[in-house]
Amino acid sequence: MGVLKRFEQRLEGLVNGTFAKVFKSEVQPVEIAGALQRECDNNATIWNRERTVVPNDFIVELSTPDYERLSPYSGQLGDELAGMVREYAKQQRYTFMGSVKVHLEKAEDLDTGLYRVRSRTLAASSSQPSSQQPPRGAPGGGPGGYGYPPQRPAGMPPMPAGPPPGAPGGAGPLPPVQTRRWIEINGTRHQISRPTMVLGRSTETDVRIDDPGVSRRHCEIRAGNPTTIQDLGSTNGIVVDGQHTTRATLRDGSRIVVGSTTIIYRQAEG
């Protein structure tokens, strides 16, 4: 069972079903949980072969109506979301520099049903008083603020300035790890063998999708670490793991919806 599914099942039984009632609006807890997972993927920092660090302090910004409805349960919901992040990090072999925290905040510029996630990496050994830390989301907050790379705790050696092992001029080659990537559409497997794969209704795309709701050049999958999907200005857009988006990180099992067609992204090592 996937991390998001287990998270959703835990919420269903909390507080005699209270969460099921308060989430009967546009914003769904599993959508927020998925956004936190993507925030980890998009901000992962490789320190060495054994350690990939991801953010551990998250802000979920909600519209005024959504925030007012959820704020009475923000503590318990934050704990559940933090637990989901820890479970996902363990699955992906990510590490944290401090304890994981998820906070809810009100954003006046968001409409009902919309949300925004920000994150930063905070070291557990940081001695900086909380009153001296940059305001959450404030521009120019400096290293360690939301949207900035992680600060290393005192005493930890700096990241190497040179290229990593295996890169030109590095300390030596690493054994190659090959990742196989493919998508599944209506039971048919399409191997991703090039850096990019364009999907759409046109016969000139890499994978043609015969669906009137799909644009001629609808979206593009870009293989890499991580693999991403990019909307190409389509009419109806793309939905990735339940969230409308223009760009998203893909992980094994990600569900992509274009028009009325569902695409499953798969990847495996070896």
Side-chain angles (χ1 to χ4, degrees):
M1 185 186 298
V3 175
L4 290 181
K5 188 62 177 178
R6 287 195 294 271
F7 166 77
E8 198 169 23
Q9 288 183 348
R10 285 199 302 271
L11 279 191
E12 288 176 356
L14 288 177
V15 199
N16 296 323
T18 298
F19 281 119
K21 297 175 183 177
V22 299
F23 273 113
K24 284 184 178 178
S25 69
E26 296 293 334
V27 177
Q28 297 297 319
V30 70
E31 293 178 353
I32 297 175
L36 292 173
Q37 289 186 358
R38 287 189 292 275
E39 190 74 8
C40 287
D41 293 335
N42 292 337
N43 293 281
T45 302
I46 300 175
W47 283 13
N48 54 49
R49 293 178 59 184
E50 304 297 329
R51 192 175 192 195
T52 299
V53 175
V54 294
N56 60 308
D57 195 68
F58 301 86
I59 294 294
V60 179
E61 294 182 334
L62 300 167
S63 67
T64 299
D66 287 326
Y67 177 79
E68 290 177 350
R69 190 183 70 256
L70 296 178
S71 57
Y73 317 99
S74 60
Q76 191 168 8
L77 179 58
D79 290 342
E80 287 296 323
L81 288 167
M84 185 282 307
V85 171
R86 287 191 294 268
E87 185 178 356
Y88 179 68
K90 182 178 180 180
Q91 181 187 81
Q92 301 297 316
R93 298 183 180 178
Y94 293 150
T95 59
F96 305 106
M97 289 177 59
S99 59
V100 180
K101 297 184 182 298
V102 180
H103 317 270
L104 304 185
E105 285 190 357
K106 180 167 59 177
E108 303 288 350
D109 62 320
L110 292 178
D111 294 330
T112 302
L114 298 180
Y115 60 91
R116 183 165 52 227
V117 174
R118 293 182 286 125
S119 66
R120 62 177 175 177
T121 301
L122 291 181
S125 59
S126 175
S127 59
Q128 184 182 26
S130 59
S131 61
Q132 297 300 314
Q133 293 184 6
R136 289 168 179 161
Y146 291 97
Y148 288 86
Q151 285 183 304
R152 287 177 170 257
M156 182 172 287
M159 295 178 67
L174 293 175
V177 177
Q178 294 185 346
T179 301
R180 295 182 293 110
R181 301 176 178 87
W182 68 95
I183 58 174
E184 297 172 358
I185 306 176
N186 298 326
T188 301
R189 176 181 294 193
H190 302 269
Q191 202 73 26
I192 303 175
S193 55
R194 296 190 295 177
T196 61
M197 171 187 277
V198 177
L199 293 77
R201 204 172 71 252
S202 171
T203 56
E204 298 178 357
T205 56
D206 298 308
V207 177
R208 182 174 182 270
I209 302 176
D210 187 13
D211 182 330
V214 172
S215 299
R216 291 178 58 79
R217 286 173 55 87
H218 198 102
C219 58
E220 179 182 69
I221 294 176
R222 300 174 183 176
N225 186 21
T227 296
T228 60
I229 185 169
Q230 178 78 46
D231 182 76
L232 297 178
S234 66
T235 302
N236 296 319
I238 59 176
V239 177
V240 180
D241 294 328
Q243 183 177 359
H244 283 275
T245 184
T246 57
R247 184 182 185 275
T249 297
L250 299 178
R251 57 186 180 276
D252 183 43
S254 285
R255 298 176 66 87
I256 306 158
V257 178
V258 293
S260 58
T261 301
T262 298
I263 303 165
I264 307 298
Y265 171 78
R266 296 291 186 187
Q267 68 178 40
E269 293 185 358

